[in-house]
Amino acid sequence: MAKLGKRTQAARSAFEGKSNVTVEEAVSLVKGSAKAKFDETVEIAVNLGVDPRHADQMVRGVVALPNGTGKTVRVAVFARGPKAEEAEKAGADIVGAEDLMETIQSGKIEFDRCIATPDMMPIVGRLGKVLGPRNLMPNPKVGTVTMDVKAAVEAAKGGEVQFKAEKAGVVHAGVGKASFDEGKLVENVKAFVAAVQKAKPSGAKGTYMKKIALSSTMGPGVSIDVAVAVGE
């Protein structure tokens, strides 16, 4: 068994006996244990009582974190003419049509968010097998298929986070950086939890939100009291 480093041992010691804590305490623990040489991401994972294989149990949504993510988001936009110009002026990193499709088909995916105008969807649709598994497929439900390209690009750049339940019914996302003020991280965590709660699908039966855990990129995780987090 590999020997744990001093930093990992100290972090685990700090977390020992701590579970089902408040959001504030979880943020304090995670922030305090983030000792890596880079600015670690604070990550949240929410275990849901859903089976995403059923359409009426799919959980998907978007939330604008009040204090952003601290991450530089690279945005690609499928658009032509005036809408392409609008995307470029709004700060999109890559703008194109068939040329962008060919770049993606070649395996070159240099973006974190993909936006498309509705008329581009016949082209984008050919990329489903590439973009779908990466959760990059534009979707009108989360505002990434839209004629308001400017607003979509600015939202993506400003800290908007998309979420989607994976096969096991887990939703996860980065909700800030360890360097953030504790209060700002708490606000972001609560905003994310509220968005997932709001996205509860009609087919969800029994306990919807089963577990919430918070961690940093290199640190251990701590569970948050679900009832307290959702304000029950």
Side-chain angles (χ1 to χ4, degrees), residues 6-84:
K6 289 182 179 179
R7 184 178 61 81
T8 304
Q9 288 179 339
R12 290 192 177 183
S13 177
F15 280 58
E16 198 172 331
K18 301 290 179 72
S19 64
N20 293 329
V21 300
T22 64
V23 173
E24 288 80 3
E25 190 173 357
V27 164
S28 180
L29 282 166
V30 169
K31 183 176 166 64
S33 72
K35 304 293 186 182
K37 293 180 180 178
F38 61 93
D39 193 4
E40 296 181 52
T41 297
V42 175
E43 301 169 353
I44 189 169
V46 185
N47 292 61
L48 303 172
V50 298
D51 184 348
R53 292 175 297 180
H54 299 287
D56 66 346
Q57 292 187 49
M58 169 51 73
V59 176
R60 145 178 250 153
V62 63
V63 56
L65 297 180
N67 302 296
T69 62
K71 177 184 176 183
T72 300
V73 178
R74 300 168 299 172
V75 179
V77 178
F78 279 91
R80 287 195 181 100
K83 286 296 171 182

Side-chain angles (χ1 to χ4, degrees), residues 73-148:
V73 178
R74 300 168 299 172
V75 179
V77 178
F78 279 91
R80 287 195 181 100
K83 286 296 171 182
E85 293 176 14
E86 182 182 320
E88 290 173 354
K89 288 180 181 177
D93 300 274
I94 309 167
V95 181
E98 285 85 359
D99 56 334
L100 179 52
M101 178 189 71
E102 291 171 3
T103 298
I104 293 170
Q105 286 176 329
S106 73
K108 197 174 182 181
I109 301 176
E110 298 180 333
F111 53 88
D112 310 295
R113 182 73 59 88
C114 188
I115 295 163
T117 53
D119 58 301
M120 289 284 101
M121 288 313 290
I123 292 174
V124 180
R126 302 179 205 172
L127 300 168
K129 289 183 179 179
V130 181
L131 299 179
R134 294 174 171 81
N135 200 23
L136 289 171
M137 193 70 180
N139 189 308
K141 291 182 179 179
V142 293
T144 48
V145 176
T146 177
M147 287 301 289
D148 195 348

